[in-house]
Amino acid sequence: MNKFSRLMIWIVSLIGIAQSVWLVGLVIPIDYLSPVVTQTIQTDTPWMMIGAAIVSAVVALVSLMMLITAIFAPRKADQLRFESPHGRLSISKSAVEKILQNRIMTQNNVNHVTVKLRLRTRNRVVRVSVNAVDKLNQDLVKLGEAIQNNVVDEIQQLMDVEVKKVRVKVTPFEASSRREKASRPRVV
């Protein structure tokens, strides 16, 4: 979760908690809370008091869950930073995706490769999703395993981080809507 999303969740959750306390103080007479909230007329109608308490409890629980999410959600990143005594290095997520895409296309005879990385900065873990179309009617299981091995090797070489999961989806040439045979030369 990026910093702006986390800040917005913090603000909305704190407003929700304050609103639920204000609603309870407005409707239900509580010794210390009610005079502080406002000098309005409070009701003694039981159904209105129960309704206000239920609405207030729901808003408070949702706001509390949002606050806990903002505090404990793992950070996602668009780049990975390495620091050493000699300086800092930042590796962009999009650059790594492009490098992986090119390596998969050149080594595995596939087209229309899409690579998506999910970086976690706290424990430096990467998850990768790869979609590709087979060009040569190969064994898809072996092709998927080869792509997984290529991705793990390339990420280890580029970033030296742990690869938690590699998800590969290879579509056969016949089932693909985008058809380009490998044997056709392209004339420009």
Side-chain angles (χ1 to χ4, degrees):
M1 182 178 301
N2 61 20
K3 291 180 182 179
F4 181 73
S5 298
R6 186 170 288 191
L7 177 68
M8 291 307 293
I9 289 175
W10 268 85
I11 290 170
V12 170
S13 63
L14 291 176
I15 289 171
I17 291 171
Q19 185 271 337
S20 65
V21 169
W22 174 77
L23 179 64
V24 167
L26 238 142
V27 177
I28 302 172
I30 299 173
D31 292 332
Y32 298 107
L33 180 63
S34 297
V36 173
V37 173
T38 184
Q39 298 293 332
T40 60
I41 300 172
Q42 295 174 343
T43 183
D44 288 330
T45 309
W47 69 268
M48 190 174 279
M49 291 172 58
I50 291 171
I54 290 172
V55 169
S56 177
V58 168
V59 169
L61 284 175
V62 169
S63 299
L64 190 61
M65 286 191 303
M66 287 172 54
L67 188 62
I68 289 171
T69 301
I71 292 171
F72 294 113
R75 286 187 59 205
K76 295 179 185 174
D78 289 337
Q79 59 185 347
L80 198 58
R81 293 188 179 121
F82 296 95
E83 295 188 19
S84 71
H86 304 291
R88 284 184 271 178
L89 170 68
S90 295
I91 301 174
S92 169
K93 180 177 95 167
S94 60
V96 174
E97 288 175 347
K98 191 71 170 171
I99 291 170
L100 287 174
Q101 181 180 3
N102 289 336
R103 174 149 182 191
I104 291 169
M105 286 178 70
T106 57
Q107 290 189 350
N108 298 103
N109 291 321
V110 291
N111 278 336
H112 304 292
V113 177
T114 323
V115 178
K116 296 206 187 278
L117 254 75
R118 287 176 208 82
L119 296 172
R120 303 277 187 210
T121 57
R122 185 176 298 162
N123 50 3
R124 295 193 185 257
V125 173
V126 176
R127 291 178 183 231
V128 184
S129 296
V130 179
N131 292 327
V133 176
D134 180 27
K135 293 195 285 191
L136 302 175
N137 293 329
Q138 305 172 50
D139 181 17
L140 297 180
V141 175
K142 288 182 182 177
L143 181 62
E145 290 174 355
I147 290 173
Q148 282 181 341
N149 292 334
N150 287 341
V151 167
V152 170
D153 293 342
E154 190 70 20
I155 288 178
Q156 286 293 328
Q157 181 182 0
L158 286 174
M159 300 187 333
D160 194 32
V161 295
E162 177 188 353
V163 180
K164 186 161 187 161
K165 186 176 183 180
V166 178
R167 192 180 137 255
V168 178
K169 180 181 177 187
V170 181
T171 307
F173 175 74
E174 292 81 24
S176 173
S177 61
R178 307 176 193 173
R179 293 187 176 211
E180 284 182 28
K181 270 285 195 195
S183 59
R184 273 190 226 155
R186 184 173 177 210
V187 179
V188 179

